[in-house]
Amino acid sequence: MKKPFGKTQVIVYLQFVLIVVVLAGCGSLPVFNIYGGSLLAFGLILGAWTLMTNRPENFNINHKPKAGAALCFDGPYRFLKHPMYLALLMALLGILLMSFCWLSLLAWIGLAALLDQKARLEERLLQERSGDYERYCAKTKKFIPGIF
């Protein structure tokens, strides 16, 4: 008998719940400031660059790689392994800075931790599938080029 919710589904649902909480927060509308606006813009630009480099048909909402998906080592992937996760975190942090709420901050921290866990699971599966990815992981950081 199939379980109603496996680890994959829990991660995906929790990810979306946390995104909604960051965005909805305490219900206030964002008030533009240069820090939040800059982070939001950089996150959107990084996300667009990532989608232009690694086509959406390669992406999977959960941590399991799609069958037949090609590995991508170009564009932002030259600098970090998970540019889309970073783009999401940057854009949401920008929105958070423009409509600060403690609940949103806690949800953003939870989302960052969840995406880190999701990235670890994804990396493990990709390393099992490809020696190229294992070599790539040895020289490329996860979220912050040269640091983390």
Side-chain angles (χ1 to χ4, degrees):
M1 178 179 213
K2 187 176 177 181
K3 292 189 264 181
F5 291 106
K7 185 176 190 174
T8 299
Q9 290 84 9
V10 170
I11 289 172
V12 171
Y13 293 140
L14 186 55
Q15 177 181 328
F16 280 108
V17 167
L18 291 169
I19 290 169
V20 168
V21 173
V22 171
L23 291 172
C26 296
S28 63
L29 292 175
V31 176
F32 180 81
N33 65 56
I34 193 70
Y35 305 110
S38 296
L39 274 172
L40 175 59
F42 287 133
L44 293 174
I45 290 167
L46 178 59
W49 185 24
T50 302
L51 287 173
M52 287 175 16
T53 304
N54 189 6
R55 293 294 189 203
E57 57 269 9
N58 257 353
F59 284 92
N60 199 357
I61 197 148
N62 63 52
H63 64 276
K64 294 179 180 178
K66 279 186 175 179
L71 293 174
C72 183
F73 304 116
D74 298 322
Y77 292 92
R78 288 180 300 186
F79 309 106
L80 56 149
K81 292 182 272 192
H82 302 280
M84 191 55 84
Y85 294 167
L86 178 60
L88 176 63
L89 289 171
M90 286 174 64
L92 289 175
L93 184 58
I95 291 169
L96 174 64
L97 291 176
M98 293 188 285
S99 58
F100 185 79
C101 171
W102 286 104
L103 179 61
S104 292
L105 176 61
L106 292 174
W108 186 89
I109 292 168
L111 179 63
L114 182 71
L115 290 177
D116 181 58
Q117 177 64 26
K118 187 177 174 184
R120 289 176 199 216
L121 294 168
E122 183 179 320
E123 288 173 20
R124 189 186 77 229
L125 293 172
L126 287 169
Q127 285 178 2
E128 290 171 2
R129 188 173 110 179
S130 169
D132 288 340
Y133 194 80
E134 192 170 349
R135 285 185 292 281
Y136 169 73
C137 284
K139 63 182 178 113
T140 310
K141 298 297 182 183
K142 191 182 306 185
F143 294 122
I144 304 171
I147 299 172
F148 174 71

